[in-house]
């Protein structure tokens, strides 16, 4: 447990739902939250569990994933610092429909549902932000369903690399090396985003490398030709 992580001086609070609440309520939020360091690869909650509160990611990166009948993982989205975990299940009164697992060492703050619902009733802007968030998640899910149904694996991989590029760029971790943009993700996780076998991802990445779209060094994938990758993904805007 992290004892000195105070909501009043939290660096990421301005980008959370709690950016505009009063100092008094900040103190209440601070007194009713639990913050922990979750090591890389650990699961915060599992698909099918019942939520008792909400999680806010202070730092790190988390994957939200589901498992199919054969046990194969499908990564449905990522959560960055300032993002919420478990909001749909909590708001809908349902069990978690997916699992949340850290991709790197992360700091996660847990807020019990009594405190959260009290804040959301007192501050209408929190409820409005939740509606916007839920709408965005629905749009994202619909877009992913269309991609999975209509695009071949090569196009899906290209699109996934661009999504990861945007993810790392948003987080300020998409470093430029030799005029390229570096992202880091295991081949297994990349395959679970694309929805294909790890061997297929490895083969296609090798093809992209031969076409000078990317370079590869261990887990590091450097995107050398963003427009070329967009062309493969059929993203022309």
């Amino acid at each position: 447990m992290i004892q000195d992580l105070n909501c009043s001086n939290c660096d990421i609070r301005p980008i959370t739902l709690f950016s505009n609440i009063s100092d008094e309520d900040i103190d209440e939020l601070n007194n009713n939250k639990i913050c922990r360091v979750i090591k890389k690869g650990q699961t915060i909650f599992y698909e099918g569990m019942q939520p008792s509160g909400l999680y806010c990611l202070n730092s790190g990166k988390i994957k939200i994933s589901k498992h199919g009948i054969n046990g194969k993982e499908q990564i449905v989205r990522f959560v960055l610092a300032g993002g919420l975990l478990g909001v749909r299940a909590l708001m809908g009164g349902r069990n978690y429909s997916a699992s949340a697992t850290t991709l790197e060492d992360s700091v996660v703050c847990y807020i019990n549902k009594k405190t959260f619902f009290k804040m959301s009733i007192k501050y209408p802007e929190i409820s409005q932000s939740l509606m916007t968030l839920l709408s965005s998640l629905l749009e994202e899910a619909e877009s992913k369903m269309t991609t999975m149904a209509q695009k071949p694996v090569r196009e899906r991989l290209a699109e996934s690399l661009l999504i990861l590029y945007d993810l790392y760029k948003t987080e300020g971790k998409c470093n430029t090396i030799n005029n390229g943009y570096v992202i880091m993700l295991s081949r297994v996780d990349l395959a679970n985003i694309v929805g294909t076998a790890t061997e297929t991802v490895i083969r296609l990445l090798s093809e992209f490398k031969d076409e000078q779209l990317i370079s590869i060094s261990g887990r590091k994938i450097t995107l050398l030709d963003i427009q070329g990758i967009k062309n493969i993904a059929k993203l022309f805007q």
Side-chain angles (χ1 to χ4, degrees), residues 86-138:
V87 61
R88 286 190 301 169
L90 184 64
M91 297 300 293
R94 300 179 178 181
N95 292 345
Y96 294 120
S97 61
S99 302
T101 306
T102 55
L103 289 170
E104 59 191 41
D105 291 353
S106 303
V107 177
V108 179
C109 297
Y110 169 80
I111 304 165
N112 64 67
K113 63 181 180 181
K114 179 180 178 181
T115 300
F116 176 72
F117 284 136
K118 179 181 178 180
M119 296 292 179
S120 63
I121 292 172
K122 185 173 183 178
Y123 294 92
E125 57 267 33
I126 292 181
S127 297
Q128 184 176 359
S129 295
L130 283 172
M131 290 178 62
T132 302
L133 173 61
L134 292 171
S135 177
S136 176
L137 291 175
L138 178 59

Side-chain angles (χ1 to χ4, degrees), residues 35 147 154 172 174 192 202 223:
C35 296
T147 295
R154 179 179 167 87
C174 194
N192 290 338
I202 293 173
L223 309 187

